Amino acid sequence: MAQNKSYRFDTLAIHGGSQGKNPHNAVNPPIFMSSTFEFNDLDHAEDVFSFVSSDYVYTRGNNPTLRLFENKMTLLEGGEGAVAFASGMAAISSVLFSFLKPGDEVIVHRTVYGSSYNVVTKILPRYGVRFIFADLRNLDALQEKVTPKTRVIYFETPANPNLDIVDIAEICEIAHHKGIKVVVDNTFATPYLQKPLQLGADVVVHSATKYISGHGDAIGGVAVAKDPDYIMKLKFEYMCEFGGVMSPFNAWLLLRGLKTLGVRMRQHQFNAMEVAQYLNKHPRVEQVFYPGLPTFKGHEIAKKQMRGFGGMLSFEIKGDLEASKKVVNSLELCKLAVSLGDAETLVEHPAAMTHRGYPKEELNTFGFTDSIIRLSIGLEDVEDIIADLEQALAKI
Ligand SMILES: Cc1ncc(COP(=O)(O)O)c(C=O)c1O
């Protein structure tokens, strides 16, 4: 019954993906902390190894707690299968390796998370894969960069850290005419706000460490796709063989986080909109990057493809890098930390922290500066978040 896809998001986030009653009728699923699984006899082993039976072999290949997490993510993203990974980066790098071979090209949006930038610019070229950065907000520019060797277009929307919005359906239209795969990192939006597979994307990846966990207590990643054959290949040829498997304990924490994803996202984005409007009017603020502001470049596309604008925002203050550092160092409630999507409001300086692999002298071409401040707006009372920003901005 809980598999019924007609349930709405918040119901699926709680009940979806379950394969029936839990042992002892426990309402919450147990954590299967077992590395290996016993076979009844060699015929049973043969059935499991040849996928006639969906029983389990070994947790690096599959595990009941991981399967429940994968089933739930499949339903929430509207896919046909999912693979859980040890981290968001394990998911992203495995998906890229699964599509690319020497001689291929990957087109990447100008702004992506720092480690994704490093994989694309430092690791893939060692295996003969060429990367091309593009501003994917400009579809004409994309057309010029596509060649017969292009295999993948990879982007985040909203993008980290400048919240660039990329039109998923338009990119898929261009890509699929040419047989190019579209991979979307949906970490900032979550499936509650945006479903890239329904807009045409081939694969969605997440850092489940962020909003999916929601509590800053687990590292995890997941890839979801529409093609079940691809999911089998990703799981058994890449996740299982590279070995970047999620731990059952983390899968259980992420399942717990998913139950409240909708309710948390509604509050994150309510708070973020209030903070964005406050900063937008502040005399010491130069620019606010938040898709919910009507003046933001991607606002109309965000309205079309998202059902809310999310909990992430960035801003530039008037003044130099020192002034920006002063604001960050003066915050008291907002914690100076990387990561995002937690209950706590987190603040960071991308150029010095999450995105320090980007070349400092060329940051502008990637759409941000060395003084941009990123905020992951938490679930505190928004008046307290604003009061903290107010006292910090008053120090400059
Ligand atoms: C947009 C985005 N994608 C991927 C990642 C990587 O995820 P993880 O840290 O779980 O490997 C991050 C981490 O900050 C991120 O912000």
Side-chain angles (χ1 to χ4, degrees):
M1 188 173 74
Q3 292 286 2
N4 186 338
K5 290 191 187 188
S6 69
Y7 281 135
R8 290 169 183 79
F9 189 92
D10 285 343
T11 313
L12 286 177
I14 294 168
H15 298 281
S18 138
Q19 308 231 297
K21 287 217 166 198
N22 291 316
H24 306 292
N25 289 347
V27 170
N28 275 300
I31 314 173
F32 285 88
M33 293 301 279
S34 186
S35 55
T36 195
F37 295 83
E38 184 183 357
F39 302 109
N40 304 332
D41 52 32
L42 280 169
D43 287 341
H44 180 212
E46 179 57 31
D47 284 352
V48 182
F49 274 95
S50 55
F51 301 108
V52 171
S53 159
S54 57
D55 287 349
Y56 302 89
V57 176
Y58 186 57
T59 286
R60 181 155 51 72
N62 221 329
N63 170 290
T65 321
L66 294 178
R67 186 174 290 168
L68 180 55
F69 173 69
E70 290 169 343
N71 288 349
K72 201 179 290 261
M73 284 306 304
T74 301
L75 285 175
L76 296 181
E77 284 285 3
E80 290 298 329
V83 185
F85 287 88
S87 67
M89 286 319 302
I92 292 164
S93 51
S94 298
V95 168
L96 290 176
F97 271 98
S98 76
F99 285 130
L100 295 162
K101 58 180 190 325
D104 288 348
E105 295 178 355
V106 52
I107 297 182
V108 183
H109 180 58
R110 62 175 192 163
T111 336
V112 286
Y113 170 58
S115 294
S116 304
Y117 173 88
N118 291 341
V119 167
V120 166
T121 60
K122 300 189 174 81
I123 299 178
L124 291 181
R126 287 184 213 151
Y127 299 90
V129 174
R130 204 171 150 241
F131 65 87
I132 295 121
F133 278 95
D135 183 349
L136 294 183
R137 298 171 311 163
N138 177 348
L139 299 173
D140 293 337
L142 169 63
Q143 300 270 19
E144 282 166 22
K145 306 220 170 183
V146 171
T147 78
K149 293 181 177 166
T150 311
R151 293 283 168 273
V152 175
I153 299 178
Y154 176 71
F155 57 92
E156 301 165 3
T157 182
N160 189 356
N162 58 9
L163 287 297
D164 271 0
I165 299 290
V166 175
D167 191 322
I168 301 170
E170 291 285 351
I171 298 285
C172 292
E173 177 77 16
I174 295 170
H176 291 156
H177 271 113
K178 300 186 157 77
I180 299 167
K181 300 291 183 195
V182 176
V183 180
V184 180
D185 182 331
N186 203 24
T187 300
F188 271 30
T190 80
Y192 176 70
L193 298 180
Q194 175 173 274
K195 295 196 196 306
L197 297 179
Q198 293 182 357
L199 297 164
D202 297 283
V203 185
V204 169
V205 288
H206 279 278
S207 169
T209 314
K210 310 295 168 13
Y211 290 107
I212 289 172
S213 157
H215 295 77
D217 51 11
I219 299 276
V222 64
V224 192
K226 283 179 293 195
D227 176 358
D229 293 339
Y230 172 73
I231 285 297
M232 287 298 277
K233 171 178 151 148
L234 183 65
K235 183 181 256 295
F236 292 107
E237 290 179 24
Y238 290 88
M239 187 283 288
C240 194
E241 307 302 48
F242 280 160
V245 68
M246 179 184 283
S247 98
F249 183 63
N250 281 9
W252 185 87
L253 286 173
L254 299 172
L255 284 163
R256 187 174 67 160
L258 277 173
K259 288 187 184 189
T260 55
L261 181 62
V263 86
R264 285 186 285 108
M265 290 315 289
R266 291 193 283 276
Q267 192 63 38
H268 279 298
Q269 65 183 8
F270 173 82
N271 285 359
M273 182 61 107
E274 296 278 309
V275 173
Q277 285 168 346
Y278 159 77
L279 289 172
N280 211 26
K281 284 193 232 124
H282 199 287
R284 291 193 172 119
V285 172
E286 178 73 37
Q287 197 183 351
V288 180
F289 302 80
Y290 184 62
L293 294 175
T295 47
F296 187 72
K297 187 169 163 44
H299 177 69
E300 288 305 321
I301 299 168
K303 240 167 63 181
K304 182 181 73 170
Q305 68 187 15
M306 301 172 75
R307 70 153 147 163
F309 302 108
M312 296 299 298
L313 67 86
S314 293
F315 65 105
E316 294 272 7
I317 55 161
K318 291 181 179 147
D320 57 9
L321 177 59
E322 287 313 309
S324 168
K325 283 184 177 166
K326 178 101 186 150
V327 171
V328 170
N329 284 333
S330 304
L331 288 164
E332 292 165 5
L333 177 70
C334 307
K335 306 242 176 285
L336 177 58
V338 299
S339 205
L340 57 108
D342 297 352
E344 297 81 6
T345 295
L346 304 178
V347 61
E348 68 129 0
H349 240 179
M353 297 165 70
T354 48
H355 291 67
R356 62 185 296 127
Y358 274 78
K360 292 270 178 298
E361 43 316 322
E362 290 171 45
L363 279 185
N364 272 328
T365 59
F366 293 100
F368 59 102
T369 68
D370 62 358
S371 57
I372 195 172
I373 299 171
R374 192 191 76 179
L375 283 171
S376 167
I377 301 295
L379 302 174
E380 302 94 340
D381 189 308
V382 70
E383 296 302 326
D384 291 328
I385 303 171
I386 290 174
D388 195 29
L389 287 162
E390 179 83 10
Q391 64 78 22
L393 284 161
K395 301 258 162 64
I396 49 167

